[in-house]
């Protein structure tokens, strides 16, 4: 089945540790996105990528890093510089046409130990 | 940046009742999207709207793109227990960075009582 796969479903981070969240899509979508979701808030954009080897900062990029070495993969690293990393992280993708809606994975919940 | 005001924040309704929720923007949007999110899952696209005044249905769901291009509403008719979840609006504005980024509302938590 075509879709967006995020892993792991749950992730725990120790103080001072970097962790990487995986996002893979087999939809042949051009663009991929990472969002952070906190309770009672809308989704906030962390990073996005339109094409391989290129990515742009979103509204809350500080403390995060990404890479886009393959079209189907867009991993997100939550670094130790992110002081409040506990959240639900969502990956999305779409075709890069003007009106193409974004489709989401099932998310990764990151917690601090 | 662009802001979306989504209301109400939460709703408790009886099974069988109709539901209405809306989003308003501080600026003009050229695309409105409505998503539903269930606990522990990612949002699922319900309806996409691309033209001012457009009215689109998806089963018991109906959404409209406001004439002013600054608002949209979602109606759910004859609610059932599986309608429970958080409903998000999202819009793409003329001036949204690369014109590809979405701005999300804060969501409407819907609870359907038997």
């Amino acid at each position: 089945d075509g879709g967006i796969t995020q892993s792991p479903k749950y992730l725990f981070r120790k103080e001072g540790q970097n962790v990487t969240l995986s996002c893979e899509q087999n939809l042949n979508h051009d663009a991929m996105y990472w969002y952070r979701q906190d309770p009672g808030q809308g989704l906030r954009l962390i990073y996005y990528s339109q094409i391989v080897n290129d990515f742009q900062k979103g509204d809350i990029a500080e403390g995060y890093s990404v890479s886009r070495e393959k079209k189907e993969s867009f991993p997100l690293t939550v670094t130790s510089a992110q002081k409040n990393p506990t959240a639900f992280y969502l990956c999305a993708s779409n075709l890069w046409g003007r009106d193409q809606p974004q489709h989401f994975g099932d998310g990764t919940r990151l917690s601090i130990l | 940046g662009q802001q979306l005001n989504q209301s109400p924040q939460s709703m408790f309704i009886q099974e069988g009742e109709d539901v209405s929720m809306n989003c308003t923007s501080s600026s003009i949007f050229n695309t409105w999207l409505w998503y539903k999110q269930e606990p522990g899952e990612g949002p699922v696209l319900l309806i996409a709207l691309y033209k001012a005044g457009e009215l689109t249905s998806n089963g018991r769901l109906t959404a409209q793109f406001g004439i002013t291009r600054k608002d949209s509403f979602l109606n759910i008719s004859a609610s059932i227990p599986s309608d429970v979840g958080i409903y998000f609006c999202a819009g793409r504005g003329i001036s949204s960075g690369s014109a590809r980024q979405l701005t999300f509302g804060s969501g409407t938590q819907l609870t359907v009582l038997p």
Side-chain angles (χ1 to χ4, degrees):
Chain A
D1 287 344
I4 303 169
T5 301
Q6 290 188 240
S7 63
K9 184 71 173 174
Y10 300 95
L11 187 59
F12 297 90
R13 195 191 90 169
K14 295 180 180 179
E15 293 287 342
Q17 188 181 46
N18 293 354
V19 291
T20 298
L21 285 61
S22 170
C23 179
E24 304 275 333
Q25 53 96 4
N26 60 3
L27 301 167
N28 200 32
H29 283 173
D30 310 295
M32 298 185 74
Y33 309 78
W34 275 105
Y35 291 91
R36 171 181 172 135
Q37 185 175 27
D38 294 285
Q41 297 189 32
L43 280 63
R44 292 184 290 167
L45 183 64
I46 304 172
Y47 270 98
Y48 67 99
S49 168
Q50 302 175 35
I51 57 173
V52 173
N53 292 323
D54 184 62
F55 47 84
Q56 307 295 328
K57 291 182 179 180
D59 299 322
I60 56 166
E62 185 174 350
Y64 301 97
S65 65
V66 293
S67 63
R68 187 89 185 274
E69 297 178 1
K70 299 185 294 182
K71 185 176 183 179
E72 58 271 22
S73 178
F74 191 41
L76 173 75
T77 297
V78 183
T79 75
S80 57
Q82 172 50 246
K83 297 306 179 187
N84 184 24
T86 298
F88 192 50
Y89 290 88
L90 288 160
C91 177
S93 70
N94 66 350
L95 294 170
W96 196 244
R98 179 174 175 79
D99 292 328
Q100 298 301 314
Q102 293 177 20
H103 298 273
F104 287 83
D106 279 342
T108 293
R109 184 164 300 280
L110 175 62
S111 302
I112 297 300
L113 288 177
Chain B
Q2 296 170 334
Q3 295 185 355
L4 275 186
N5 181 31
Q6 184 171 352
S7 65
Q9 264 191 323
S10 62
M11 302 181 74
F12 292 81
I13 62 169
Q14 294 292 137
E15 184 176 354
E17 290 184 349
D18 296 344
V19 173
S20 184
M21 59 192 77
N22 69 84
C23 280
T24 57
S25 168
S26 57
S27 56
I28 291 174
F29 278 7
N30 53 27
T31 301
W32 283 98
L33 305 172
W34 284 92
Y35 290 88
K36 178 189 178 185
Q37 184 179 29
E38 299 191 17
E41 298 183 7
V44 174
L45 182 67
L46 299 173
I47 294 177
L49 303 162
Y50 300 111
K51 295 180 182 178
E54 181 180 353
L55 185 70
T56 298
S57 294
N58 178 6
R60 293 178 295 104
L61 277 61
T62 301
Q64 185 161 26
F65 192 139
I67 295 287
T68 65
R69 300 173 70 187
K70 290 186 176 182
D71 61 343
S72 177
F73 72 76
L74 175 70
N75 285 345
I76 305 173
S77 63
S79 59
I80 60 178
S82 62
D83 289 335
V84 167
I86 302 176
Y87 292 80
F88 288 99
C89 62
R92 183 178 292 130
I94 295 173
S95 59
S96 58
S98 66
R100 301 291 189 266
Q101 297 177 39
L102 290 176
T103 300
F104 284 83
S106 56
T108 295
Q109 172 72 62
L110 178 63
T111 301
V112 180
L113 305 172

